[in-house]
Amino acid sequence: EFVSPALSEFHGCDYTLRAGVLLPRNFGDEDSYPVVYSVTGFGGSYEDIRNWEKRVTPGSPLDDCIVVVPDANNRYGHSVFCDSACIGPWGRALVTEFIPALEAEFSGAGAEHRYVTGVSSGGWSSFWLQVTYPEAFAGCWSHVPDPIDNRLR
């Protein structure tokens, strides 16, 4: 959990971001680790990290990565981690506040080893984050995203 200064200022009260974190089996053996951020679709939450526990099998490439499922939920539904005049600076809060704090705590390897993915609304989120903050991620896998129209950018 992390209290976001940007979202707290926007909403006028402490606003907490949450994420589920799955550490590599070899955690502690290396100086730093690649990080994969997986944004859930509508109705998902940080608790969906439990689904990743079954997917990350010994010897798979993800076995050497930190997997993070940030919670995109807000009082209106799914934030899609976009920066919005209506719901606040969710993308900025994730990229400039939450990610640095989380990766400092768990030894993330930095932007050149950071990836974002998602399905459905999370697919839209991952695409938007990669396009809006290209320096923050080394790659994006956007799966069955909600409709995308870059003319809105």
Side-chain angles (χ1 to χ4, degrees):
E1 293 187 346
F2 174 84
V3 176
S4 164
L7 288 171
S8 295
E9 180 181 343
F10 180 87
H11 291 286
C13 62
D14 282 351
Y15 207 100
T16 302
L17 294 176
R18 294 175 176 81
V21 179
L22 180 63
L23 298 174
R25 291 181 212 295
N26 69 345
F27 188 75
D29 294 346
E30 305 292 328
D31 291 334
S32 62
Y33 301 87
V35 184
V36 176
Y37 289 85
S38 177
V39 184
T40 64
F42 190 88
S45 78
Y46 68 97
E47 293 177 348
D48 288 359
I49 192 65
R50 299 195 192 305
N51 296 329
W52 281 95
E53 292 172 342
K54 300 171 207 154
R55 293 184 197 148
V56 180
T57 58
S60 77
L62 285 174
D63 195 28
D64 295 324
C65 297
I66 298 169
V67 179
V68 179
V69 177
D71 198 337
N73 290 309
N74 63 30
R75 63 181 173 212
Y76 304 109
H78 198 288
S79 72
V80 292
F81 285 107
C82 70
D83 296 321
S84 164
C86 296
I87 62 170
W90 277 79
R92 181 166 52 96
L94 179 73
V95 171
T96 67
E97 298 173 349
F98 189 76
I99 287 175
L102 186 137
E103 291 187 14
E105 182 173 346
F106 294 108
S107 303
E112 62 278 1
H113 300 285
R114 180 183 307 132
Y115 305 91
V116 63
T117 187
V119 176
S120 190
S121 295
W124 190 98
S125 302
S126 63
F127 181 82
W128 190 88
L129 287 165
Q130 179 69 65
V131 169
T132 306
Y133 298 98
E135 71 288 346
F137 301 97
C140 169
W141 287 269
S142 179
H143 303 278
V144 293
D146 293 347
I148 295 171
D149 183 348
N150 283 326
R151 292 177 297 173
L152 300 175
R153 238 181 88 56

